[in-house]
Amino acid sequence: SEYDTDPSVMDKVTVHFNAKRQSSLLGDVNADGQFTVADMVLLQKWLIGKGILHSPDNGDMNGDGILNSWDLVRMRRALLEVQEQETLG
């Protein structure tokens, strides 16, 4: 056989089927554990019906319980603030 099928090689393997990604970080709608421009792009796609949010609750940037373009605006502002802080040092 081309592959080693010895059961001992499978001792430290974890397989997740149908696992859902989760994150509690505000803004992290793709649930990768970071709040980045990728989250803003994903929310924008979702708002036009072209994307799937893995942690939609994280996208409610203004805390009104509704996910809409106002959240996208706040997300953009938050990302710009982070970028400015990084630039200023």
Side-chain angles (χ1 to χ4, degrees), residues 71-84:
D71 297 300
L72 183 63
V73 169
R74 291 226 176 174
M75 190 177 279
R76 183 172 185 261
R77 279 187 192 158
L79 288 167
L80 285 172
E81 288 173 7
V82 168
Q83 186 179 25
E84 286 176 4

Side-chain angles (χ1 to χ4, degrees), residues 9-77:
V9 299
M10 300 300 283
D11 286 347
K12 297 180 181 173
V13 175
T14 303
V15 179
H16 299 275
F17 293 98
N18 299 321
K20 291 184 179 182
R21 294 185 281 177
Q22 294 181 344
S23 171
S24 60
L25 179 64
L26 185 62
D28 183 19
V29 294
N30 66 5
D32 67 353
Q34 301 175 358
F35 174 44
T36 64
V37 172
D39 296 294
M40 186 179 72
V41 170
L42 183 57
L43 180 59
Q44 185 174 357
K45 286 183 178 182
W46 180 84
L47 288 169
I48 62 170
K50 303 278 184 185
I52 296 172
L53 303 179
H54 298 285
S55 290
D57 292 341
N58 296 344
D60 186 12
M61 300 293 288
N62 61 4
D64 66 357
I66 302 168
L67 218 48
N68 56 28
S69 58
W70 292 113
D71 297 300
L72 183 63
V73 169
R74 291 226 176 174
M75 190 177 279
R76 183 172 185 261
R77 279 187 192 158

